[in-house]
Amino acid sequence: ILPEDSSMSLIKIENINKFYPHVATNQQRVRGMLKILLNKNDDSGKHILKDISFTVNKGESLAIIGKNGAGKSTLLKIISSVIQPTSGRFEINGTVGALLELGSGFDPEYTGIENLRMSAALYGLQGDDADEKINNMIEFANIGEYINEPVKNYSSGMVVRLGFSVITQTKPDLLITDEVLAVGDHSFQLKCLAWIDQYLKNGGTLLLVSHSVYHVQKLCAKALWLEQGV
């Protein structure tokens, strides 16, 4: 993560490659584990991303589209620092908010309100500011008394509501989302689309993976097509 500098691209990707090791046999699993222990890149597996390069400037909205298995989610996970590329480099110049997988970042054993408090703490929110933003999260999520229930009891739609509510109050420089809007009910989708639209008008930057032509056309000015990792 680089220091903020308005003269730089918000995202800069250079020759990113990603291999997933073959683990079908015990021999392959042992070989993969040894390479991890020896801190060696494993380029003998499935080649998911192949020399990907692009830049995104602050305030841009980019859709990453393509068929299932093209490498879209893998690319977002690398940009979000969830996983590391096998080779190549990337730079992110700003704060990142990612909505990638349902429930990621939430402890299923804790209640919704407890998870919101932990999220606020992780984002450095404190005191009255934290209390105000947590109350705003609860209002945006609008899941009623379920906010006091463990997240493991939530439906997929309620998990999305909780996750998106955190984004609305932390307002990252870069928002990354992977199909999660497709899970929520129609009224909540419209609520999220309206928030993202305002976020972009205020100078936010969006990376969106979606199979929804409507969401891509509604939210993004540019698109990057991935096919077989290229």
Side-chain angles (χ1 to χ4, degrees), residues 197-217:
D197 191 49
Q198 190 61 46
Y199 165 80
L200 292 171
K201 289 178 179 177
N202 291 336
T205 306
L206 175 68
L207 275 188
L208 171 71
V209 160
S210 180
H211 291 288
S212 166
V213 175
Y214 171 74
H215 287 159
V216 170
Q217 292 180 329

Side-chain angles (χ1 to χ4, degrees), residues 1-43:
I1 306 298
L2 300 177
E4 187 169 356
D5 182 344
S6 60
S7 67
M8 301 176 68
S9 300
L10 187 61
I11 306 172
K12 188 173 184 180
I13 308 292
E14 294 182 349
N15 302 116
I16 288 289
N17 285 270
K18 181 63 180 179
F19 291 83
Y20 282 132
H22 295 302
V23 291
T25 67
N26 288 335
Q27 185 179 15
Q28 289 173 338
R29 286 192 286 270
V30 170
R31 185 186 302 118
M33 183 60 69
L34 286 174
K35 288 192 175 183
I36 291 173
L37 293 173
L38 296 173
N39 198 27
K40 292 183 177 180
N41 288 329
D42 189 350
D43 56 3

